[in-house]
Amino acid sequence: MAARWISKLPALTAGRRSFSAVALREIAPSVWRLGEGRPRVAVLGGVHGNELSGVEVVQRLLSDFRHMTPDLQISGEITLAIGNPPAVSRGVRFLHQDLNRCFCEALGGDATPGEELARAKVLMPMLRDLDVLLDLHATNKPSTPFARLPGPVEGRKERFASAERLFLRALPCHTVLWDPNKLIAGGAMSDEYASQHAPFEACQRSGRQIHPAHICYESGLASDKSSAAAIYSAVQTCFAELGIVAHPDGKASVEDEGGRQWEHFEITNVYKLDSRGFEWMNGYGTHNFQVVPPETAFGRRLEPLEELVSPIGHESYIVFPKGEALRSPGWPVGWLARKLSPEEV
Ligand SMILES: [Zn+2]
């Protein structure tokens, strides 16, 4: 594999881009870097320790790069990281608190001290000034693969276009989830942090502009590693599209399918666990993007009983439904989203 990557490099170095020989260096525990300058891209796996496909992708990339140095030449900077190594080694989502709720400078005083908060402080500098973040996740309930993209409604079209061109079109993904009101994590997820600390200007590569793309990719069920090969290939496509390294097949970009039909959703409601307890009802809460008709009971709080009913006027879609093992007081048990019309994207 390594040799195939390198064999394509002379064609690129013949162009106007300048490639230089680089060595892989570990800049913090389980964080590795190659090269310098822009574009700057980071690939994260294992921010949640039980989500295996992203961990496998990062490990494969590391293995490639280790075999390629000292001959490796790249133009730009690549950071690879395992998000939460202790959680990965134990096969659990987190140890003390969800790392993907800790990417926020304001956290500290009130937050539970623990491994994740300390780890977020190590990772946050690597999430700043990034042209591209690929944070690789999986879900705890079955799901179609989807991308969760950060930021407000304004500029959504441009952010999606960049994410699609650089990464998503190389994946078996047709679904995008937006959270402009930060109902999932109050703006403290990795991609939200990266988006808030993105470069002011688009990066110029080969005479064209690359707009920042900060992507959380949810590949499907967490225990399933079969998606890793496709994600690995899509990451290579991204590197090639950015002009950092050549694609192993020599292609700078993937073929367009010709009008992929994307579905966009936006989070509308969050439901947190309180002292009453909670259970899903009427068969809901089993998978992501499960459709709930308008004004339909999908869950209930217990003692005293209160049914949770979907909003009037549109179908709702359940996202990130939490099974009992993943619930904790004060934290969400799930969210509802609505489907966006084409004009809204
Ligand atoms: Zn995750």
Side-chain angles (χ1 to χ4, degrees):
M1 177 59 74
R4 292 172 63 215
W5 283 44
I6 292 168
S7 66
K8 300 297 176 189
L9 282 171
L12 281 177
T13 49
R16 66 181 118 161
R17 285 168 284 191
S18 87
F19 286 76
S20 41
V22 293
L24 187 69
R25 54 200 195 274
E26 189 166 8
I27 58 169
S30 297
V31 182
W32 301 266
R33 181 164 288 166
L34 278 166
E36 59 183 3
R38 289 179 70 190
R40 299 184 75 208
V41 54
V43 184
L44 287 185
V47 165
H48 292 135
N50 61 324
E51 299 170 9
L52 305 176
S53 52
V55 174
E56 180 166 321
V57 170
V58 169
Q59 286 171 340
R60 282 183 69 177
L61 292 166
L62 271 176
S63 171
D64 285 353
F65 288 138
R66 283 198 181 108
H67 283 99
M68 288 159 73
T69 53
D71 302 321
L72 179 62
Q73 297 192 9
I74 72 167
S75 172
E77 180 190 284
I78 297 172
T79 302
L80 303 174
I82 299 295
N84 194 340
V88 170
S89 62
R90 293 180 208 187
V92 295
R93 184 173 171 85
F94 56 80
L95 301 185
H96 296 101
Q97 59 185 314
D98 190 331
L99 175 59
N100 212 21
R101 306 291 181 269
C102 296
F103 295 107
C104 172
E105 266 102 9
L107 278 184
D110 297 339
T112 324
E115 306 234 9
E116 280 81 12
L117 210 57
R119 185 62 174 164
K121 289 195 172 121
V122 171
L123 294 176
M124 277 192 281
M126 290 129 203
L127 298 176
R128 290 184 209 132
D129 203 28
L130 282 179
D131 294 291
V132 177
L133 170 67
L134 308 176
D135 186 8
L136 308 175
H137 285 255
T139 50
N140 294 292
K141 292 282 174 77
S143 181
T144 185
F146 66 100
R148 197 182 44 66
L149 299 182
V153 172
E154 185 187 28
R156 187 144 69 181
K157 193 185 188 76
E158 291 72 24
R159 291 199 302 282
F160 170 66
S162 189
E164 182 191 26
R165 183 167 70 82
L166 291 171
F167 188 57
L168 298 179
R169 63 183 173 148
L171 287 159
C173 172
H174 297 78
T175 305
V176 177
L177 180 64
W178 299 92
D179 182 21
N181 298 313
K182 304 177 182 174
L183 295 178
I184 297 177
M189 293 187 282
S190 64
D191 54 292
E192 293 178 309
Y193 184 85
S195 178
Q196 290 153 18
H197 296 83
F200 184 67
E201 292 173 352
C203 189
Q204 293 284 342
R205 301 293 285 181
S206 309
R208 57 171 201 214
Q209 290 199 318
I210 292 174
H211 290 276
H214 307 107
I215 305 167
C216 166
Y217 183 63
E218 301 275 359
S219 63
L221 198 58
S223 56
D224 177 15
K225 286 208 285 183
S226 65
S227 57
I231 301 170
Y232 170 79
S233 174
V235 172
Q236 291 177 319
T237 299
C238 178
F239 291 163
E241 189 72 26
L242 290 166
I244 296 185
V245 294
H247 190 276
D249 301 323
K251 289 187 293 188
S253 61
V254 291
E255 303 296 322
D256 275 324
E257 273 183 5
R260 187 183 302 193
Q261 294 297 308
W262 291 93
E263 288 191 316
H264 291 258
F265 297 84
E266 179 179 303
I267 302 274
T268 55
N269 299 74
V270 55
Y271 300 92
K272 293 182 179 174
L273 184 64
D274 62 21
S275 58
R276 291 174 286 177
F278 170 83
E279 65 186 19
W280 298 102
M281 56 184 284
N282 295 332
Y284 291 111
T286 59
H287 57 279
N288 275 281
F289 298 99
Q290 193 173 15
V291 188
V292 188
E295 295 183 84
T296 301
F298 60 90
R300 63 187 155 216
R301 302 189 185 282
L302 316 163
E303 299 174 45
L305 201 69
E306 181 204 353
E307 286 194 350
L308 302 179
V309 177
S310 59
I312 303 169
H314 61 84
E315 286 183 331
S316 289
Y317 298 81
I318 295 174
V319 288
F320 300 121
K322 305 286 186 220
E324 225 164 323
L326 285 177
R327 294 179 203 161
S328 43
W331 291 92
V333 294
W335 291 262
L336 292 183
R338 69 179 177 93
K339 194 184 283 192
L340 298 176
S341 67
E343 298 75 40
E344 290 180 283
V345 180

